[in-house]
Amino acid sequence: MFVARSIAADHKDLIHDVSFDFHGRRMATCSSDQSVKVWDKSESGDWHCTASWKTHSGSVWRVTWAHPEFGQVLASCSFDRTAAVWEEIVGESNDKLRGQSHWVKRTTLVDSRTSVTDVKFAPKHMGLMLATCSADGIVRIYEAPDVMNLSQWSLQHEISCKLSCSCISWNPSSSRAHSPMIAVGSDDSSPNTMAKVQIFEYNENTRKYAKAETLMTVTDPVHDIAFAPNLGRSFHILAIATKDVRIFTLKPVRKELTSSGGPTKFEIHIVAQFDNHNSQVWRVSWNITGTVLASSGDDGCVRLWKANYMDNWKCTGILKGNGNPVNGSAQLGNSNPSLSSNTSNLQNSLHGSSAGRKHS
Amino acid sequence: MEKMSRVTTALSGSALTGRTMHCHLDAPANAISVCRDAAQVVVAGRSIFKIYAIEEEQFVEKLNLRVGRKPSLNLSCADVVWHQMDENLLATAATNGVVVTWNLGRPSRNKQDQLFTEHKRTVNKVCFHPTEAHVLLSGSQDGFMKCFDLRRKDSVSTFSGQSESVRDVQFSIRDYFTFASTFENGNVQLWDIRRPDRCERMFTAHNGPVFCCDWHPEDRGWLATGGRDKMVKVWDMTTHRAKEMHCVQTIASVARVKWRPECRHHLATCSMMVDHNIYVWDVRRPFVPAAMFEEHRDVTTGIAWRHPHDPSFLLSGSKDSTLCQHLFRDASQPVERANPEGLCYGLFGDLAFAAKESLVAAESGRKPYTGDRRHPIFFKRKLDPAEPFSGLASSALSVFETESGGGSMSWFVDTAERYALAGRPLAELCDHNAKVARELGRNQVAQTWTMLRIIYCSPGLVSSANLNHSVGKGSSCGLPLMNSFNLKDMGPGLGSETRLDRSKGDTRSDTALLDSSATLITNEDNEETEGSDVPADYLLGDVEGEEDELYPLDTEHVHPEEPEYVLPQEAFPLRHEIVDTPSGPEHLQDKADSPHVSGNEADTASLAPVDSSSSLLSVSHALYDSRLPPDFFSVLVRDMLHFYAEQGDVQMAVSVLIVLGERVRKDIDEQTQEHWYTSYIDLLQRFCLWNVSNEVVKLSTSRAVSCLNQASTTLHVNCSHCKRPMSSRGWVCDRCHRCASMCAVCHHVVKGLFVWCQGCSHGGHLQHIMKWLEGSSHCPAGCGHLCEYS
């Protein structure tokens, strides 16, 4: 089971995002109080705030880490219509003595005319790139041509999505067979039935991003979207937080069959859809192997989802804010007894897909 | 005039009605002001000066005050104000420094009343006294403020701010003689109207120009100021020193600020540039606007609440040449769109979760399912201006850690570190890796390794002890080889004991099998399958749930002395099922005389589930035809590798790929291999398993992968003696001809890991230096440098 370690975040307003770094030893939080805090894990497992600074002049919606190969780099985006790139300065500064590290702003990306709702670094193999999306429905992709110079970013692509964007996710696959791909979710709440998730793919020939797919079945506002870590899979898994949790698989149809040059065709299947949160789902996050999905909703609970060997996704755990697992059977009634048994196996399930009995 | 009065009476019931609407003006507006009857609004700009009636559905132009053939500069308005006592009286501030008053009661077309040409530069602001009919105040770019009595031809008094340009002047609503003025240098001054010689009080409110201020309509002494520093500050002026009570951070310089009627803590702001929106803030929640009006396409220049006691109607004029009426109810609410939760899965299976405290604390359960959060009914309730402020929103941050210290990914790290991938015969590698997997409780993986060994190692390699043992045991045909391996591990001494135990167990396992497969079928809703498929599913069902149910059975069978070498239970049901297969038995009995073949049978049976596409039966049939070359299995192995990759266990895929090398490589296309390698290496690097990662890179055959550790391999080193860069290869400095790689602690030449300080070039054995630095922070060489090794 899980142990909850409560952290006195001391943010002055809502925290909108938490993000672990590549190695899982640092954590960044961002809040409406316009600040970002960086937390480092000590040997004993405690999290210590090692930096806290004002980043924007509006709510900071998202914070994300770059691959450590590029240094200790964070990107944040805000209601103030900008995204910013920050780098930690290590060196002679006196701040270090007080256990505080120093972060400097390397650049401000000011192209958006509305709130920038998400920012994500591209997978490392693409170089130092990041994508932002904004409430005016434009996804922007920036690149730092010189990875040593974080203050120079050039706007490479502007993709118009027509709908107010709320979240983006890069396809993390490092395979050469998969061209760069980005999924965009919209939280547009106007009463239309337009599809809220669009997937754009980079076309080598035109050197542009073109729409590859639209998930027609998702018509409610989307709050979060996440590709699962790919880890050698031939297909992609996409989780969507909308009024429920949905998991899609995208299987590329072999290139030979499709006309060359055009966007990749995908076989899209919805493999899971859960309304157990009984309310809006705000966040989805994959574990490192892409086998367990965590979702959080307005019910204040985190739910864990995992596929069994039949590819049936099931709930394997419910965590309340205080870390205690909610009694599965009590929550869900007797209608679904398998869920309660799954909950009790939470620990097991988290040991990986082929975990078995522990020998004493 | 008659018209107006009629509108006023109609409104005396104080029931304002209207909707969000806008009308196009001929020119950009600079300022607006509302008549006290809340039915008319005046719009002023460089080339516009009009009065509009606010009707239920639309704005209707009532009067154009820009009359005369030749437009005078006096009509180029920077500001306009409508007297709150007299609905016929207006004043405008002209960009040429003239203050003009207008009397709507004049019978002629030209309503201009008085002209004060006392200021030298643009007048930024005019303000009527809230209760006195004839007192008008102006503030100008020239740094002076003037007070006019409308019954006289010139100003009554002049106030010199002694600082820069005046941006705003505002009579206090509560204190009869007091007014506030704001300046471009960031100062705010408080004046007594009777004392023009010097200000009562002055303080620096903002960093940069203070563009606007507004006295709170009810709370005496509350003054809101907005400046270019993007902040709105609320000051308490009743105390001896002006005290900053609230500070709201907006995203652009603040051009106007207006307290919202009937809502003590609300104020509206608009910005001077960049941002076209109007925000309503609750000053107690200074970071997130309570409401946002997004109608304007250009900078909003004037805002005014329509009625001093109605909080829901806001009027605004803009540079985009529109006049808008905003309904508070129609405002968009950034708070509602804001994500109240953050969630992130950590590397070790830990979860960071931040959630709005009210969501987490709500013990009573969740809200009823409302569908969309922005459901209309919900929406209205939220926007009720009377709704009490629930206090500052805050989030609870917690990290859920998996209880077993190292975290739930420890199996991955252990496996990566302990697997042997090369340097030994294949059989040994497989055995070793199987053992590692088994010790980590990953039975399916262990089984796979064992099977790989059987497939790819010629029968001769299987130790004779195992063979003999199997034969000796052969009461029934197919003793799984799995068993034999375990026995080998135990050593021959234990063999007989196990056999006894085994035969006992055999009788029981029949029932055990029935039980377990039965539960399985019901539990997992498996499709009804033919007999032989049941074990297949059973094996496939390597999902924890089933395994747990099984283990109780397991302990029953196991001899207490050998808990480490428990047989995977899978073996038993399998064997029996296959024997029972109608097509199987005779066939099997014939061919299965050699233990080797029986071994093969065991592994195809278990392999089959791995390869979900091929039928178990057909494979086992084929098996008995002859001794098969390893090539026969390559399809199977390939599918198995793909299976592991798709299951997210790229570690297994890559490990098998490396161990088997050429045997399978040709069956899997280059791109996929490369994909697996890069994914696995990325994962290893996440866990800081640099050595393993490098080993994998070295062992890979894919060119794209193996060149990964060829990049940036140059190290620049200084000689530890002469401190100059070493130019030649090797560790002998070509300047001082001494070996540079001496350990500063033990004074021996370092072979292996050498660590040195980049500051002073001294270093030595990793262990020595680490030990040294525990006790001292100075360089062990005694050079006095404070070394940093990180």
Side-chain angles (χ1 to χ4, degrees), chain A residues 3 5 7 13 15-16 23 32 81 174 176 187 230 232-233 278 283 285 296-298 331 351 356, chain B residues 275 285 287 337 339 341 345 366 373 395 397 399 401 408 411 441 526 646 674-676 678 685-686:
Chain A
V3 192
R5 202 185 273 272
I7 298 170
D13 208 308
I15 297 174
H16 297 298
H23 297 298
S32 261
R81 307 166 175 200
S174 58
R176 274 186 288 130
D187 64 349
N230 180 277
R233 286 187 192 88
N278 258 344
R283 286 288 191 239
S285 178
S296 72
D298 252 351
Q331 270 259 330
H351 279 72
Chain B
D275 192 1
R285 187 171 185 183
F287 304 113
R337 289 177 88 94
N339 206 320
E341 286 173 348
Y345 231 122
R366 30 192 128 96
R373 269 171 66 95
S395 289
L397 175 66
V399 175
E401 287 166 3
S408 65
W411 62 268
N526 278 346
E646 316 274 271
E674 190 189 315
H675 187 194
W676 290 350
T678 51
Q685 291 181 345
R686 273 182 184 269

Side-chain angles (χ1 to χ4, degrees), chain B residues 547-558:
Chain B
E547 268 177 329
D548 264 17
E549 281 161 24
L550 263 168
Y551 282 118
L553 295 174
D554 197 17
T555 48
E556 244 185 271
H557 296 278
V558 174

Side-chain angles (χ1 to χ4, degrees), chain B residues 287-474:
Chain B
F287 304 113
V288 188
M292 181 163 93
F293 300 103
E294 301 166 294
E295 279 84 0
H296 287 299
R297 293 286 148 262
D298 203 337
V299 174
T300 307
T301 47
I303 48 175
W305 293 96
R306 188 171 158 190
H307 190 273
H309 294 289
D310 187 311
S312 46
F313 293 96
L314 180 72
L315 298 163
S316 68
S318 158
K319 282 249 191 284
D320 65 2
S321 307
T322 54
L323 174 67
C324 272
Q325 172 169 270
H326 311 277
L327 227 63
F328 196 76
R329 178 189 297 168
D330 296 338
S332 75
Q333 287 182 294
V335 183
E336 285 296 302
R337 289 177 88 94
N339 206 320
E341 286 173 348
L343 179 69
C344 189
Y345 231 122
L347 198 54
F348 304 95
D350 35 359
L351 269 165
F353 179 48
K356 192 172 170 182
E357 251 158 18
S358 59
L359 291 181
V360 181
E363 282 300 330
S364 56
R366 30 192 128 96
K367 306 179 222 168
Y369 185 39
T370 52
D372 195 332
R373 269 171 66 95
R374 290 174 281 275
H375 192 271
I377 299 165
F378 201 55
F379 197 48
K380 268 181 201 161
R381 193 177 61 77
K382 270 274 179 189
L383 279 167
D384 181 1
E387 187 195 31
F389 183 68
S390 51
L392 256 182
S394 67
S395 289
L397 175 66
S398 46
V399 175
F400 300 121
E401 287 166 3
T402 46
E403 222 161 35
S404 47
S408 65
M409 283 300 280
S410 57
W411 62 268
F412 176 88
V413 179
D414 283 354
T415 311
E417 278 174 340
R418 291 170 60 189
Y419 265 4
L421 299 176
R424 283 195 262 171
L426 175 63
E428 274 182 43
L429 292 177
C430 291
D431 283 347
H432 175 86
N433 294 345
K435 189 162 160 263
V436 169
R438 205 158 37 242
E439 281 169 19
L440 292 170
R442 307 177 68 214
N443 289 327
Q444 193 189 23
V445 173
Q447 186 105 352
T448 309
W449 281 113
T450 311
M451 287 180 285
L452 287 172
R453 180 210 152 105
I454 296 159
I455 294 170
Y456 287 102
C457 299
S458 62
L461 280 178
V462 180
S463 68
S464 57
N466 290 337
L467 297 188
N468 291 341
H469 188 76
S470 313
V471 172
K473 257 186 91 177

Side-chain angles (χ1 to χ4, degrees), chain B residues 449-506:
Chain B
W449 281 113
T450 311
M451 287 180 285
L452 287 172
R453 180 210 152 105
I454 296 159
I455 294 170
Y456 287 102
C457 299
S458 62
L461 280 178
V462 180
S463 68
S464 57
N466 290 337
L467 297 188
N468 291 341
H469 188 76
S470 313
V471 172
K473 257 186 91 177
S475 55
S476 64
C477 60
L479 184 73
L481 268 193
M482 197 55 213
N483 193 358
S484 328
F485 285 123
N486 289 334
L487 289 174
K488 185 189 75 180
D489 289 341
M490 283 187 283
L494 287 170
S496 53
E497 211 179 319
T498 337
R499 198 190 324 168
L500 289 174
D501 178 51
R502 179 61 53 225
S503 49
K504 272 189 281 169
D506 270 359

Side-chain angles (χ1 to χ4, degrees), chain A residues 1-4 276-278 295 297 299-304 315-333 336-346, chain B residues 353 359-366 400:
Chain A
M1 289 301 159
F2 281 100
V3 192
N276 301 43
H277 281 292
N278 258 344
S295 66
D299 58 353
C301 290
V302 178
R303 283 162 206 268
L304 303 176
C315 179
T316 59
I318 304 166
L319 299 160
K320 253 301 198 188
N322 54 9
N324 297 333
V326 175
N327 187 339
S329 45
Q331 270 259 330
L332 300 159
N336 207 346
S338 69
L339 272 181
S340 59
S341 73
N342 271 327
T343 312
S344 65
N345 288 322
L346 177 61
Chain B
F353 179 48
L359 291 181
V360 181
E363 282 300 330
S364 56
R366 30 192 128 96
F400 300 121

Side-chain angles (χ1 to χ4, degrees), chain B residues 5-27:
Chain B
S5 52
R6 188 166 57 82
V7 174
T8 314
T9 44
L11 272 166
S12 59
S14 85
L16 287 181
T17 52
R19 58 181 188 97
T20 296
M21 59 187 181
H22 66 92
C23 85
H24 188 78
L25 310 171
D26 311 324

Side-chain angles (χ1 to χ4, degrees), chain B residues 527-680:
Chain B
E527 306 150 51
E528 199 52 59
T529 46
E530 38 183 317
S532 60
D533 269 355
V534 173
D537 273 341
Y538 169 66
L539 258 185
L540 239 183
D542 192 40
V543 172
E544 297 64 37
E546 291 84 61
E547 268 177 329
D548 264 17
E549 281 161 24
L550 263 168
Y551 282 118
L553 295 174
D554 197 17
T555 48
E556 244 185 271
H557 296 278
V558 174
H559 198 278
E561 281 171 34
E562 39 191 39
E564 278 296 313
Y565 303 99
V566 170
L567 291 176
Q569 279 289 311
E570 293 90 324
F572 296 96
L574 259 181
R575 176 154 47 105
H576 288 274
E577 282 302 324
I578 285 168
V579 171
D580 291 345
T581 311
S583 59
E586 303 84 2
H587 192 58
L588 227 137
Q589 295 292 9
D590 296 345
K591 310 260 176 173
D593 47 356
S594 118
H596 167 63
V597 173
S598 71
N600 274 349
E601 179 233 316
D603 52 35
T604 36
S606 348
L607 257 179
V610 171
D611 164 34
S612 45
S613 63
S614 66
S615 132
L616 170 70
L617 267 181
S618 64
V619 174
S620 48
H621 275 299
L623 261 182
Y624 304 117
D625 293 346
S626 63
R627 295 199 167 189
L628 293 161
D631 267 359
F632 174 81
F633 299 100
S634 57
V635 179
L636 219 54
V637 172
R638 185 197 68 204
D639 289 344
M640 177 200 78
L641 291 183
H642 279 289
F643 169 80
Y644 275 112
E646 316 274 271
Q647 291 292 307
D649 190 359
V650 73
Q651 179 176 52
M652 186 65 185
V654 172
S655 302
V656 171
L657 196 61
I658 293 176
V659 167
L660 293 182
E662 288 305 329
R663 295 174 187 87
V664 287
R665 197 168 292 142
K666 57 187 179 304
D667 297 317
I668 297 164
D669 73 292
E670 279 279 319
Q671 235 172 33
T672 311
Q673 285 189 37
E674 190 189 315
H675 187 194
W676 290 350
Y677 274 117
T678 51
S679 304
Y680 185 43

